[in-house]
Amino acid sequence: MKLSVWTYEGPPHVGAMRIATGMKGLHYVLHAPQGDTYADLLFTMIERRNHRPPVTYTTFQARDLGADTAGLFRTACEEAVARFRPEAIIVGASCTAELIQDDPGGMAETMDLGIPVVPLELPSYQRKENYGCDETFYRLCRALAQPQDRTARITCNILGGTALGFRHRDDIAEITSLLADMGIEVNVAAPLDATPADIARLPAAHFNVLLYPETAEAAARWLQKEHGQPYTRTIPIGVGATRDFVREVQQIAGTDILPDESHLRLPWWTASVDSTYLTGKRVFLFGDATHVMAMARVARDEMGFEVAGMGCYNREFARPLRKLAKEYGVEALITDDYLDVEAEIERLAPEMILGTQMERHIGKRLGIPCAVISAPVHVQDFPARYSPVMGFEGANVLFDTLVHPLVMGLEEHLLAMFREDFEFHDDAGPSHHGGGHAATSPVRAEERVPESTVGVVWLPAAEKELKKIPFFVRGKARRNTETFAAERGQTEIGVDTLYEAKAHYAR
Amino acid sequence: MSRPELPAAGGCRSAPVLKERGQREVFCGLTGIVWLHRKMQDAFFLVVGSRTCAHLLQSAAGVMIFAEPRFGTAILEEADLAGMADAQDELDREVERLLSRRPDIRQLFLVGSCPSEVIKLDLSKAAERLSARHAPRVRVLNYSGSGIETTFTEGEDACLAAMVPVLPETQERELLVVGALPDVVEDQMLSLLSGLGIGPVRLLPARNIDAETAVGPNTAYALAQPFLGETHEALARRGARHIPAPFPYGEEGTTAWLAAIATEFGVSPERFAEVTEAPRARARKAVAAAAETLAGKSLFFFPDSQMEIPLARFLSRECGMEPLEVAQPYIRDALHGPDLDLLPQGPRIAEGQDVDRQLDRARADRPDLTVCGLGLANPLEAEGLATKWAIELVFTPVHFYEQAGDLAALFARPIRRKQALRLEAAE
C-alpha cells in the first residue's frame, strides 16, 4: 500500500480509453463498476471533446456481484455493437473487474460479433496509464495490420498521437507539413484520428515516425520486426533535434530535400540582446521522459540555461533518462511521488521549473516560475490556438513558453535599478492604479523570505541588505548564505557573511 | 403556518416510475469526500483503493488537490492482493505515518472502495483496531464510498450514517439538522431557527469532533439534503423522530421546510410570519429576475445527486419551467415524497439509468435545458442542447432564502449564454 494524493498517471484502462477516444470507428467495452465513468470527463472537459468517448461500461453494482456480471458484460458488448456499429471493438477490465475474474477477452471472442475483437490484458495493480496506451495500440496493430505492398511514392506513418496527449493535435499537423516539405506523404497517422481500417493499412508505408515512445514504441518495434519498417529515434522538439530528425528521415527515405525554415524565429530571438539575461538560468526539468530529455537540450543549447536537475515519473524510461542526466552532469530523479519532486526542487533551488501541472503548483508554492512541458496537464494546456511543441513552429512556441514566466532582461535590469524607488520598492502593490500600496500590504515582501531553518541568526544590517536583493532571487540568496554560514559553524550572519557567501557561490 | 398549496391537477407522488437498469453515467460515493473534508475540519478521509480511485479524486477535486487537502488514497499494490493479513499490517503502517505527520487530525475515516470490497478487506475491523490504538486523540470510523455500493452524494450519506451509532446519547428535546451545508448557509439557517425560538440546534456533520452533536429518543431531526436515506434510517434506530418536509430550495421550499420544524416545536404562526416575511420577500424578488429567462422553458434531468426532484419542484413552481423528465439515482418515498406531492403532474419520473436509452429520450424531447454530468454536457451542447452541469449544484451554496436567486441564476445562465453568443456571420 502506498499513500498518495496526486498521481502523475491514471490506471492503465484510462490509457486504453485514450486510444479508443483518439480513434474513430473503434469502441471499447470496459468491464467496470458504477463510477468508473468519471474518466469520460477527462475527454469532454479537459480536452473539450464534443462527443462522448466511445466507451461502454458495464457499471456493475454490489447486487450484480452475486449474480451474473459475466452476463452483464455480454449484454453490454451486444448492445454496444448494435448501437454504435464500430469497425472493431477492444474489450477489457478495469481494476475492480480484474479482481472478479470474468475474462472479458475470452467471452467477447466467443460471441461472434461479426467484427474484429481485440482483448486487452492491462494489469491495473502493476502498470499505469502510459503502459495502457502503448499496450492497447500494440494489440490493435497486431490484430489489424495486414501484410501488403509498399506505396508507390515514399510515405510514412506517424505513430503515437492519442486523445489527452500534450499538444499531440498540433505536433502531428506540424510534422505532417514538415514531411510534406521534404516530399514525404503521410500514409496513416495513428492512433489519433485513425480508424481500424487505417490501422490495417499501416504496413503500406516505407517507414514510421515515432513521435511519442510512451504511447507507441511497442507498436513501432513490432512493425519493424513484422513488416520491416524502420522507425525514427529522434524526437523533433527544438531546433537542433528537428534538424537531426530531418537528417534521420533523409537517410531512411533516401532524399536530400530540406524543409522550409523561413518561419523559424527561435535562433534569432534567443541570440538577440534582450535574451542575454537568460544565460545560465538554472532550470529543473520534470515530466514524461521523452519531453524531459528533449527539453533538456532545448534548455541548455538553445535557450542558454543551465540544467540543474532532471527527472521523470515513468519508470519504463528510467535507463535512457539516467544516461542523459549523466551527460548533463546531474543526478536523475525517477519517481512518481510528487513529494520527492518537491524536496528535490527545494534542494536545488532552481530559478525556473519545466514540468507538469504538479510542478506548476510546486513552483507557485515556492515562488519559482514554471512552464508546463509535459502531461499530465490541465484544461489550459489544450489551447484553442495552434501550439505545437515539435518542428520549427514548435521551437517558436517553446521560446515564448519558456521566456514568459521569467522576468525579461530589460525588466529585470530596471527592477534592480529602481528597487529603492517609492513606486517600485518591494512593498509597493502590484499596480499603482487603485491604491493597493505599501500601507495595505506591509508584509508582502516578508512573506517571500522563508524562515531560517538552520538556526542561524540574521543581524539587522544583514537582514536589511538581504531585502535589497530582488525578491525573485532573495530566497535563494538567503538559503545559500545560511548554508554557507552553517558549514563554517557561524551562528550569526552579518553583511560580510552575505557577500562572502555571494562570492563563494558565484560562478 | 405557511404550507405550499398542492398542484390543482395533483402531484407526482403516485405517478408511475420508469425504473431502468443499464449503463450508469454517474460518480461513485468517493466524490463526497471532496466537499465533506472541507466541512469537517479535523477529519481525514483515507480511501483504501486502487490508482483509479486516486485518479477519480484528483479529477473531481480539480485545483483543490494542490491545497494539502485532508484526503488521500492508500493505493493497493500487487503484494496487497496476495495475502489478507498483510494488507491489514500495511494499512496500520500507512495510518501510523499519516497520523504522526498530521497531529491536527482527530477523526479518521477509512473509506472502502470497489477493489477493497471485492477482495473483502475488513475495514470495520481495521477501524476498531486503529481506534483502540489511537484513542483518545483520534477516532477512526469506516464507511463505503465504492461505486458498487454508492452513487455520488450517497457517499456523504454513508459517512454520516457511520457516525450515527457513535454519537453521544441525550434525553433533551432538541432539533438535529442533518446534511453538510456550506458554512454561510448553515449560519443563515441557524439564525432563522433561533429567530423562531428553536435551539440549541445540533448539526450532523459538525465542523469538528468536539461540537456537541448528540441524539436520543426526544431528538427530532430534519434533513437538509435529499440524499440521506441511510442516515435517516440510522437516526430512526437511535429513536429519533423524522420531520418530513420538502427540501429548502427556493422561497417556497425553505418556507415549507421551516414550517414543518416550527409546527413540530410549537412555534406560533405570528412569530413564524414575523421571522420569515422579510427574507421570503427578498427570495421571491431575487428568483423573479432569473425566472424571466426560465419561464416556459422545458427541462430534462439526468440522474446524479438525488437533488433532482426537489430542484424540479423549485424550477417548475417558482420559475415557471416545464419538466419533461426527472430522473434520480434512487427515489425514497419518506424523503422525496413531500417534494413529489408539490411537483405538478406531467414529467416522466425515472429511477436509475440506462444512459444510451435516456439520451435517445432527451434527443427526442429536445428540452430547452438539460441538467447532466460533465461527461455528457459538452457532447449534448455539441448537439445543440443547452446544459447545466449538475455537480456545481452540490458545491455551490444553493439552500435557503438568501441563495434562492443564485440557485435560479445557475439554471438561467446557460440559456442566457446561448442567446448571447452570435458567432455566425451576419447575413
Side-chain angles (χ1 to χ4, degrees), chain A residues 100-111:
Chain A
I100 60 175
Q101 298 175 335
D102 275 339
D103 186 22
M107 281 190 285
E109 278 177 318
T110 59
M111 281 177 65

mmCIF file with all atom_site columns, all heavy atoms in Angstrom, chain A residues 100-111:
data_model
loop_
_atom_site.group_PDB
_atom_site.id
_atom_site.type_symbol
_atom_site.label_atom_id
_atom_site.label_alt_id
_atom_site.label_comp_id
_atom_site.label_asym_id
_atom_site.label_entity_id
_atom_site.label_seq_id
_atom_site.pdbx_PDB_ins_code
_atom_site.Cartn_x
_atom_site.Cartn_y
_atom_site.Cartn_z
_atom_site.occupancy
_atom_site.B_iso_or_equiv
_atom_site.pdbx_formal_charge
_atom_site.auth_seq_id
_atom_site.auth_comp_id
_atom_site.auth_asym_id
_atom_site.auth_atom_id
_atom_site.pdbx_PDB_model_num
ATOM 1  N N   . ILE A 1 100 ? -12.544 -9.760  -10.151 1.00 0.00 ? 100 ILE A N   1
ATOM 2  C CA  . ILE A 1 100 ? -13.645 -10.726 -10.154 1.00 0.00 ? 100 ILE A CA  1
ATOM 3  C C   . ILE A 1 100 ? -13.508 -11.776 -11.252 1.00 0.00 ? 100 ILE A C   1
ATOM 4  O O   . ILE A 1 100 ? -14.293 -12.691 -11.335 1.00 0.00 ? 100 ILE A O   1
ATOM 5  C CB  . ILE A 1 100 ? -15.038 -10.056 -10.209 1.00 0.00 ? 100 ILE A CB  1
ATOM 6  C CG1 . ILE A 1 100 ? -15.213 -9.214  -11.467 1.00 0.00 ? 100 ILE A CG1 1
ATOM 7  C CG2 . ILE A 1 100 ? -15.284 -9.200  -8.985  1.00 0.00 ? 100 ILE A CG2 1
ATOM 8  C CD1 . ILE A 1 100 ? -16.616 -8.643  -11.607 1.00 0.00 ? 100 ILE A CD1 1
ATOM 9  N N   . GLN A 1 101 ? -12.491 -11.629 -12.087 1.00 0.00 ? 101 GLN A N   1
ATOM 10 C CA  . GLN A 1 101 ? -12.089 -12.709 -12.994 1.00 0.00 ? 101 GLN A CA  1
ATOM 11 C C   . GLN A 1 101 ? -13.200 -13.225 -13.911 1.00 0.00 ? 101 GLN A C   1
ATOM 12 O O   . GLN A 1 101 ? -13.497 -14.411 -13.944 1.00 0.00 ? 101 GLN A O   1
ATOM 13 C CB  . GLN A 1 101 ? -11.505 -13.858 -12.165 1.00 0.00 ? 101 GLN A CB  1
ATOM 14 C CG  . GLN A 1 101 ? -10.276 -13.387 -11.421 1.00 0.00 ? 101 GLN A CG  1
ATOM 15 C CD  . GLN A 1 101 ? -9.706  -14.420 -10.483 1.00 0.00 ? 101 GLN A CD  1
ATOM 16 O OE1 . GLN A 1 101 ? -10.412 -15.304 -10.029 1.00 0.00 ? 101 GLN A OE1 1
ATOM 17 N NE2 . GLN A 1 101 ? -8.429  -14.303 -10.186 1.00 0.00 ? 101 GLN A NE2 1
ATOM 18 N N   . ASP A 1 102 ? -13.799 -12.319 -14.654 1.00 0.00 ? 102 ASP A N   1
ATOM 19 C CA  . ASP A 1 102 ? -14.809 -12.736 -15.636 1.00 0.00 ? 102 ASP A CA  1
ATOM 20 C C   . ASP A 1 102 ? -14.221 -13.040 -17.013 1.00 0.00 ? 102 ASP A C   1
ATOM 21 O O   . ASP A 1 102 ? -14.908 -13.553 -17.863 1.00 0.00 ? 102 ASP A O   1
ATOM 22 C CB  . ASP A 1 102 ? -15.877 -11.643 -15.792 1.00 0.00 ? 102 ASP A CB  1
ATOM 23 C CG  . ASP A 1 102 ? -16.966 -11.767 -14.736 1.00 0.00 ? 102 ASP A CG  1
ATOM 24 O OD1 . ASP A 1 102 ? -17.110 -12.866 -14.190 1.00 0.00 ? 102 ASP A OD1 1
ATOM 25 O OD2 . ASP A 1 102 ? -17.640 -10.769 -14.471 1.00 0.00 ? 102 ASP A OD2 1
ATOM 26 N N   . ASP A 1 103 ? -12.978 -12.650 -17.243 1.00 0.00 ? 103 ASP A N   1
ATOM 27 C CA  . ASP A 1 103 ? -12.317 -12.840 -18.534 1.00 0.00 ? 103 ASP A CA  1
ATOM 28 C C   . ASP A 1 103 ? -13.084 -12.226 -19.706 1.00 0.00 ? 103 ASP A C   1
ATOM 29 O O   . ASP A 1 103 ? -13.607 -12.945 -20.567 1.00 0.00 ? 103 ASP A O   1
ATOM 30 C CB  . ASP A 1 103 ? -12.068 -14.331 -18.804 1.00 0.00 ? 103 ASP A CB  1
ATOM 31 C CG  . ASP A 1 103 ? -11.247 -14.535 -20.069 1.00 0.00 ? 103 ASP A CG  1
ATOM 32 O OD1 . ASP A 1 103 ? -10.546 -13.587 -20.486 1.00 0.00 ? 103 ASP A OD1 1
ATOM 33 O OD2 . ASP A 1 103 ? -11.315 -15.630 -20.666 1.00 0.00 ? 103 ASP A OD2 1
ATOM 34 N N   . PRO A 1 104 ? -13.172 -10.908 -19.758 1.00 0.00 ? 104 PRO A N   1
ATOM 35 C CA  . PRO A 1 104 ? -13.889 -10.229 -20.853 1.00 0.00 ? 104 PRO A CA  1
ATOM 36 C C   . PRO A 1 104 ? -13.359 -10.624 -22.231 1.00 0.00 ? 104 PRO A C   1
ATOM 37 O O   . PRO A 1 104 ? -14.139 -10.837 -23.155 1.00 0.00 ? 104 PRO A O   1
ATOM 38 C CB  . PRO A 1 104 ? -13.621 -8.743  -20.590 1.00 0.00 ? 104 PRO A CB  1
ATOM 39 C CG  . PRO A 1 104 ? -13.224 -8.655  -19.172 1.00 0.00 ? 104 PRO A CG  1
ATOM 40 C CD  . PRO A 1 104 ? -12.588 -9.954  -18.802 1.00 0.00 ? 104 PRO A CD  1
ATOM 41 N N   . GLY A 1 105 ? -12.042 -10.733 -22.355 1.00 0.00 ? 105 GLY A N   1
ATOM 42 C CA  . GLY A 1 105 ? -11.453 -11.071 -23.648 1.00 0.00 ? 105 GLY A CA  1
ATOM 43 C C   . GLY A 1 105 ? -11.972 -12.394 -24.162 1.00 0.00 ? 105 GLY A C   1
ATOM 44 O O   . GLY A 1 105 ? -12.479 -12.494 -25.277 1.00 0.00 ? 105 GLY A O   1
ATOM 45 N N   . GLY A 1 106 ? -11.876 -13.401 -23.309 1.00 0.00 ? 106 GLY A N   1
ATOM 46 C CA  . GLY A 1 106 ? -12.322 -14.742 -23.686 1.00 0.00 ? 106 GLY A CA  1
ATOM 47 C C   . GLY A 1 106 ? -13.792 -14.759 -24.060 1.00 0.00 ? 106 GLY A C   1
ATOM 48 O O   . GLY A 1 106 ? -14.185 -15.338 -25.081 1.00 0.00 ? 106 GLY A O   1
ATOM 49 N N   . MET A 1 107 ? -14.614 -14.074 -23.251 1.00 0.00 ? 107 MET A N   1
ATOM 50 C CA  . MET A 1 107 ? -16.057 -14.064 -23.518 1.00 0.00 ? 107 MET A CA  1
ATOM 51 C C   . MET A 1 107 ? -16.377 -13.400 -24.853 1.00 0.00 ? 107 MET A C   1
ATOM 52 O O   . MET A 1 107 ? -17.152 -13.926 -25.647 1.00 0.00 ? 107 MET A O   1
ATOM 53 C CB  . MET A 1 107 ? -16.782 -13.314 -22.401 1.00 0.00 ? 107 MET A CB  1
ATOM 54 C CG  . MET A 1 107 ? -16.970 -14.142 -21.154 1.00 0.00 ? 107 MET A CG  1
ATOM 55 S SD  . MET A 1 107 ? -18.075 -13.322 -19.999 1.00 0.00 ? 107 MET A SD  1
ATOM 56 C CE  . MET A 1 107 ? -17.063 -12.047 -19.347 1.00 0.00 ? 107 MET A CE  1
ATOM 57 N N   . ALA A 1 108 ? -15.753 -12.240 -25.092 1.00 0.00 ? 108 ALA A N   1
ATOM 58 C CA  . ALA A 1 108 ? -16.084 -11.491 -26.311 1.00 0.00 ? 108 ALA A CA  1
ATOM 59 C C   . ALA A 1 108 ? -15.662 -12.257 -27.557 1.00 0.00 ? 108 ALA A C   1
ATOM 60 O O   . ALA A 1 108 ? -16.351 -12.228 -28.578 1.00 0.00 ? 108 ALA A O   1
ATOM 61 C CB  . ALA A 1 108 ? -15.420 -10.120 -26.279 1.00 0.00 ? 108 ALA A CB  1
ATOM 62 N N   . GLU A 1 109 ? -14.539 -12.966 -27.460 1.00 0.00 ? 109 GLU A N   1
ATOM 63 C CA  . GLU A 1 109 ? -14.058 -13.702 -28.630 1.00 0.00 ? 109 GLU A CA  1
ATOM 64 C C   . GLU A 1 109 ? -15.011 -14.822 -29.023 1.00 0.00 ? 109 GLU A C   1
ATOM 65 O O   . GLU A 1 109 ? -15.099 -15.194 -30.181 1.00 0.00 ? 109 GLU A O   1
ATOM 66 C CB  . GLU A 1 109 ? -12.654 -14.250 -28.353 1.00 0.00 ? 109 GLU A CB  1
ATOM 67 C CG  . GLU A 1 109 ? -11.582 -13.195 -28.576 1.00 0.00 ? 109 GLU A CG  1
ATOM 68 C CD  . GLU A 1 109 ? -10.187 -13.684 -28.229 1.00 0.00 ? 109 GLU A CD  1
ATOM 69 O OE1 . GLU A 1 109 ? -10.044 -14.367 -27.191 1.00 0.00 ? 109 GLU A OE1 1
ATOM 70 O OE2 . GLU A 1 109 ? -9.249  -13.378 -28.982 1.00 0.00 ? 109 GLU A OE2 1
ATOM 71 N N   . THR A 1 110 ? -15.725 -15.370 -28.032 1.00 0.00 ? 110 THR A N   1
ATOM 72 C CA  . THR A 1 110 ? -16.637 -16.479 -28.351 1.00 0.00 ? 110 THR A CA  1
ATOM 73 C C   . THR A 1 110 ? -18.018 -15.980 -28.761 1.00 0.00 ? 110 THR A C   1
ATOM 74 O O   . THR A 1 110 ? -18.916 -16.764 -29.027 1.00 0.00 ? 110 THR A O   1
ATOM 75 C CB  . THR A 1 110 ? -16.827 -17.385 -27.115 1.00 0.00 ? 110 THR A CB  1
ATOM 76 O OG1 . THR A 1 110 ? -17.361 -16.581 -26.055 1.00 0.00 ? 110 THR A OG1 1
ATOM 77 C CG2 . THR A 1 110 ? -15.510 -17.997 -26.668 1.00 0.00 ? 110 THR A CG2 1
ATOM 78 N N   . MET A 1 111 ? -18.197 -14.642 -28.806 1.00 0.00 ? 111 MET A N   1
ATOM 79 C CA  . MET A 1 111 ? -19.555 -14.131 -29.016 1.00 0.00 ? 111 MET A CA  1
ATOM 80 C C   . MET A 1 111 ? -19.959 -13.980 -30.468 1.00 0.00 ? 111 MET A C   1
ATOM 81 O O   . MET A 1 111 ? -21.111 -13.727 -30.772 1.00 0.00 ? 111 MET A O   1
ATOM 82 C CB  . MET A 1 111 ? -19.726 -12.784 -28.304 1.00 0.00 ? 111 MET A CB  1
ATOM 83 C CG  . MET A 1 111 ? -19.953 -12.957 -26.813 1.00 0.00 ? 111 MET A CG  1
ATOM 84 S SD  . MET A 1 111 ? -20.062 -11.386 -26.000 1.00 0.00 ? 111 MET A SD  1
ATOM 85 C CE  . MET A 1 111 ? -21.536 -10.723 -26.730 1.00 0.00 ? 111 MET A CE  1
#
